[in-house]
Amino acid sequence: MPEQTSHKPRPASQRVVVTGLGAVSSAGLGATEFTASVRAGRRSTSPIRSFDTTGFPHVHAGEVHDFDPGQWLRRIDPERWGRSAQFAASAARMAVEDAGLTAEQVAAARAGSVMGTTSGESAVIEQLVGEWVTDGLKSLSPHLVAAAPAQRIAAAVNTELGLTGEALTLATACSASNYALGYAFDQVASGEAEYMLAGGADSVNRWAHAGFYRLGALAEEVSRPFDADRAGILTAEGGVALLLERHDHAVARGARIYAEMLGYGVNCDAEHMVHPDPTSIAACIRAAHRSAGVTPDEIDYICAHGTGTRTNDATEVAAVRDVIGDRLPPISSLKSMIGHTMGAASGFGALICCKAVHEGFLPPTANLEQVDPALGPGVDPVPGRARPAAPRVVQNHGFAFGGNNAITIFGRVE
């Protein structure tokens, strides 16, 4: 039976809303381009250009092509920052501008950033390893050494926008953006911050591609979440940022509000490095519902983790069914279109959830030919293209290696 909750709604002064969105992805630059591509069900993965794929039988990924950081960045020198940091800072500036604010306005307030990642500046570290192997330790480029620490991802956001609040990078892998959003939510709801930028960033790299291939989790050319013939993920990259502020603050300044962040849930099953646990995921869903003050029957749509591996999709659907019962809401996966953007993945999910609530649609699952009957009855992955709808409450999943689960809940502001 669906679980009921007695959690009371938050006081008006503690409500947190999303007023700005920024995206750097293979599906487009900016939230508008990204959303248009997703609504069309357009697959934006392609043959890899960023590293030599000789020897790899699988050579497709979701790379961000034609990204010129100088077009977006005003304060930081791209040459001194890694690709992940460039993605994060660019997406954050987009989010601020999308919110109808200037960097100066945000910097003058109590504002900070929290960004998620899986691999940090992995492309930078690969370059350093290459230099070390070729010419020895003393050959390492100082500017690459300085750019390597993962904490530079959030630091890039603060430096680009002049923020003097905290700059926190969370490395909880593929659920990291949802962790970041949860932290930012608490900062704003408690009054510790007036604005928080939250999201994540990662860049395509050779070692992650090789790792997923050795795990047997890499699809050859197309990712097919929920499909009977699904074979795995495509690695991908990008940066995403959401601007969070208090509801009363947003109303007072006449801001456009995409959605209210109602709550979140996080846990760790601590059971297996790469095998998801349905009991732990179900517990995380329940925790998110309690935090948000919603009941399972109120969930109108789920943005799935939806990797397209046989185990993840089956486990995810089973966990949802355990909480919600057989009346499953539509559940779809962005990874079918943009690939798996690692630490940015659940941030892109949050962005599209906000857009879905605000514009009135259900995001699709691309490349779907036949829903796997083994997933059980009632699974609706919204195949092909976006579907017109009026979702009021939506649920965004992020699951990661090590059993790190994080779920965020968003709702329509009437």
mmCIF file of all heavy atoms in Angstrom, residues 227-232 307-316 372-375:
data_model
loop_
_atom_site.group_PDB
_atom_site.id
_atom_site.type_symbol
_atom_site.label_atom_id
_atom_site.label_comp_id
_atom_site.label_asym_id
_atom_site.label_seq_id
_atom_site.Cartn_x
_atom_site.Cartn_y
_atom_site.Cartn_z
ATOM 1 N N ASP A 227 14.111 -0.277 -22.190
ATOM 2 C CA ASP A 227 13.847 -1.084 -23.374
ATOM 3 C C ASP A 227 14.246 -2.541 -23.121
ATOM 4 O O ASP A 227 15.189 -2.826 -22.379
ATOM 5 C CB ASP A 227 14.639 -0.539 -24.565
ATOM 6 C CG ASP A 227 14.171 -1.130 -25.886
ATOM 7 O OD1 ASP A 227 14.659 -2.215 -26.263
ATOM 8 O OD2 ASP A 227 13.312 -0.511 -26.533
ATOM 9 N N ALA A 228 13.532 -3.450 -23.758
ATOM 10 C CA ALA A 228 13.831 -4.871 -23.595
ATOM 11 C C ALA A 228 15.240 -5.211 -24.059
ATOM 12 O O ALA A 228 15.851 -6.165 -23.569
ATOM 13 C CB ALA A 228 12.806 -5.705 -24.368
ATOM 14 N N ASP A 229 15.782 -4.424 -24.997
ATOM 15 C CA ASP A 229 17.118 -4.682 -25.533
ATOM 16 C C ASP A 229 18.160 -3.689 -25.021
ATOM 17 O O ASP A 229 19.196 -3.490 -25.666
ATOM 18 C CB ASP A 229 17.082 -4.641 -27.069
ATOM 19 C CG ASP A 229 16.264 -5.775 -27.656
ATOM 20 O OD1 ASP A 229 16.289 -6.887 -27.079
ATOM 21 O OD2 ASP A 229 15.587 -5.558 -28.677
ATOM 22 N N ARG A 230 17.925 -3.065 -23.885
ATOM 23 C CA ARG A 230 18.890 -2.098 -23.368
ATOM 24 C C ARG A 230 20.215 -2.793 -23.047
ATOM 25 O O ARG A 230 20.237 -3.965 -22.654
ATOM 26 C CB ARG A 230 18.335 -1.401 -22.134
ATOM 27 C CG ARG A 230 18.109 -2.285 -20.917
ATOM 28 C CD ARG A 230 17.305 -1.543 -19.861
ATOM 29 N NE ARG A 230 17.137 -2.315 -18.633
ATOM 30 C CZ ARG A 230 16.214 -3.249 -18.450
ATOM 31 N NH1 ARG A 230 15.370 -3.548 -19.445
ATOM 32 N NH2 ARG A 230 16.115 -3.886 -17.296
ATOM 33 N N ALA A 231 21.308 -2.027 -23.221
ATOM 34 C CA ALA A 231 22.629 -2.639 -23.064
ATOM 35 C C ALA A 231 23.572 -1.813 -22.200
ATOM 36 O O ALA A 231 24.703 -2.230 -21.979
ATOM 37 C CB ALA A 231 23.264 -2.870 -24.431
ATOM 38 N N GLY A 232 23.145 -0.622 -21.747
ATOM 39 C CA GLY A 232 24.036 0.143 -20.899
ATOM 40 C C GLY A 232 24.020 1.628 -21.176
ATOM 41 O O GLY A 232 23.154 2.151 -21.877
ATOM 42 N N THR A 307 19.688 4.630 -16.190
ATOM 43 C CA THR A 307 20.952 4.512 -16.907
ATOM 44 C C THR A 307 20.856 3.692 -18.187
ATOM 45 O O THR A 307 21.676 3.837 -19.085
ATOM 46 C CB THR A 307 22.036 3.873 -16.020
ATOM 47 O OG1 THR A 307 21.618 2.553 -15.650
ATOM 48 C CG2 THR A 307 22.298 4.718 -14.786
ATOM 49 N N GLY A 308 19.903 2.792 -18.263
ATOM 50 C CA GLY A 308 19.827 1.900 -19.416
ATOM 51 C C GLY A 308 20.587 0.607 -19.215
ATOM 52 O O GLY A 308 20.681 -0.202 -20.144
ATOM 53 N N THR A 309 21.135 0.380 -18.004
ATOM 54 C CA THR A 309 21.686 -0.941 -17.692
ATOM 55 C C THR A 309 20.536 -1.824 -17.227
ATOM 56 O O THR A 309 19.537 -1.348 -16.691
ATOM 57 C CB THR A 309 22.759 -0.879 -16.588
ATOM 58 O OG1 THR A 309 22.152 -0.403 -15.379
ATOM 59 C CG2 THR A 309 23.894 0.053 -16.997
ATOM 60 N N ARG A 310 20.677 -3.106 -17.425
ATOM 61 C CA ARG A 310 19.576 -4.016 -17.090
ATOM 62 C C ARG A 310 19.286 -3.975 -15.591
ATOM 63 O O ARG A 310 18.131 -3.936 -15.166
ATOM 64 C CB ARG A 310 19.912 -5.439 -17.540
ATOM 65 C CG ARG A 310 20.216 -5.551 -19.027
ATOM 66 C CD ARG A 310 19.994 -6.955 -19.555
ATOM 67 N NE ARG A 310 18.590 -7.285 -19.599
ATOM 68 C CZ ARG A 310 17.742 -6.914 -20.568
ATOM 69 N NH1 ARG A 310 18.169 -6.163 -21.570
ATOM 70 N NH2 ARG A 310 16.476 -7.268 -20.528
ATOM 71 N N THR A 311 20.342 -3.940 -14.769
ATOM 72 C CA THR A 311 20.139 -3.981 -13.322
ATOM 73 C C THR A 311 19.547 -2.683 -12.802
ATOM 74 O O THR A 311 18.607 -2.690 -12.003
ATOM 75 C CB THR A 311 21.467 -4.270 -12.615
ATOM 76 O OG1 THR A 311 21.952 -5.546 -13.036
ATOM 77 C CG2 THR A 311 21.283 -4.277 -11.106
ATOM 78 N N ASN A 312 20.091 -1.537 -13.221
ATOM 79 C CA ASN A 312 19.606 -0.265 -12.669
ATOM 80 C C ASN A 312 18.127 -0.065 -12.962
ATOM 81 O O ASN A 312 17.362 0.272 -12.058
ATOM 82 C CB ASN A 312 20.396 0.908 -13.250
ATOM 83 C CG ASN A 312 19.848 2.240 -12.751
ATOM 84 O OD1 ASN A 312 20.281 2.772 -11.747
ATOM 85 N ND2 ASN A 312 18.861 2.793 -13.459
ATOM 86 N N ASP A 313 17.719 -0.235 -14.202
ATOM 87 C CA ASP A 313 16.324 0.053 -14.547
ATOM 88 C C ASP A 313 15.367 -0.855 -13.783
ATOM 89 O O ASP A 313 14.322 -0.412 -13.296
ATOM 90 C CB ASP A 313 16.108 -0.100 -16.055
ATOM 91 C CG ASP A 313 16.850 0.943 -16.869
ATOM 92 O OD1 ASP A 313 17.563 1.772 -16.268
ATOM 93 O OD2 ASP A 313 16.724 0.930 -18.105
ATOM 94 N N ALA A 314 15.711 -2.126 -13.682
ATOM 95 C CA ALA A 314 14.842 -3.075 -12.972
ATOM 96 C C ALA A 314 14.778 -2.735 -11.489
ATOM 97 O O ALA A 314 13.701 -2.762 -10.867
ATOM 98 C CB ALA A 314 15.358 -4.496 -13.171
ATOM 99 N N THR A 315 15.924 -2.398 -10.896
ATOM 100 C CA THR A 315 15.967 -2.052 -9.473
ATOM 101 C C THR A 315 15.190 -0.775 -9.198
ATOM 102 O O THR A 315 14.445 -0.681 -8.215
ATOM 103 C CB THR A 315 17.425 -1.889 -9.011
ATOM 104 O OG1 THR A 315 18.128 -3.112 -9.238
ATOM 105 C CG2 THR A 315 17.489 -1.523 -7.536
ATOM 106 N N GLU A 316 15.358 0.217 -10.060
ATOM 107 C CA GLU A 316 14.695 1.508 -9.869
ATOM 108 C C GLU A 316 13.177 1.367 -9.936
ATOM 109 O O GLU A 316 12.450 1.892 -9.087
ATOM 110 C CB GLU A 316 15.182 2.495 -10.922
ATOM 111 C CG GLU A 316 14.677 3.914 -10.732
ATOM 112 C CD GLU A 316 15.451 4.926 -11.564
ATOM 113 O OE1 GLU A 316 16.207 4.519 -12.472
ATOM 114 O OE2 GLU A 316 15.293 6.132 -11.297
ATOM 115 N N ASP A 372 10.536 -3.244 -21.570
ATOM 116 C CA ASP A 372 10.880 -4.567 -21.063
ATOM 117 C C ASP A 372 9.728 -5.117 -20.224
ATOM 118 O O ASP A 372 9.408 -4.554 -19.168
ATOM 119 C CB ASP A 372 12.151 -4.457 -20.217
ATOM 120 C CG ASP A 372 12.670 -5.805 -19.758
ATOM 121 O OD1 ASP A 372 12.007 -6.831 -20.011
ATOM 122 O OD2 ASP A 372 13.751 -5.831 -19.135
ATOM 123 N N PRO A 373 9.096 -6.213 -20.661
ATOM 124 C CA PRO A 373 7.981 -6.760 -19.875
ATOM 125 C C PRO A 373 8.407 -7.231 -18.491
ATOM 126 O O PRO A 373 7.577 -7.308 -17.577
ATOM 127 C CB PRO A 373 7.479 -7.926 -20.734
ATOM 128 C CG PRO A 373 8.609 -8.263 -21.645
ATOM 129 C CD PRO A 373 9.347 -6.990 -21.881
ATOM 130 N N ALA A 374 9.712 -7.508 -18.315
ATOM 131 C CA ALA A 374 10.189 -7.958 -17.009
ATOM 132 C C ALA A 374 10.113 -6.861 -15.956
ATOM 133 O O ALA A 374 10.204 -7.142 -14.756
ATOM 134 C CB ALA A 374 11.633 -8.458 -17.135
ATOM 135 N N LEU A 375 9.931 -5.610 -16.385
ATOM 136 C CA LEU A 375 9.791 -4.504 -15.440
ATOM 137 C C LEU A 375 8.429 -4.507 -14.755
ATOM 138 O O LEU A 375 8.220 -3.780 -13.791
ATOM 139 C CB LEU A 375 10.003 -3.162 -16.148
ATOM 140 C CG LEU A 375 11.393 -2.924 -16.747
ATOM 141 C CD1 LEU A 375 11.428 -1.613 -17.514
ATOM 142 C CD2 LEU A 375 12.459 -2.952 -15.667
#
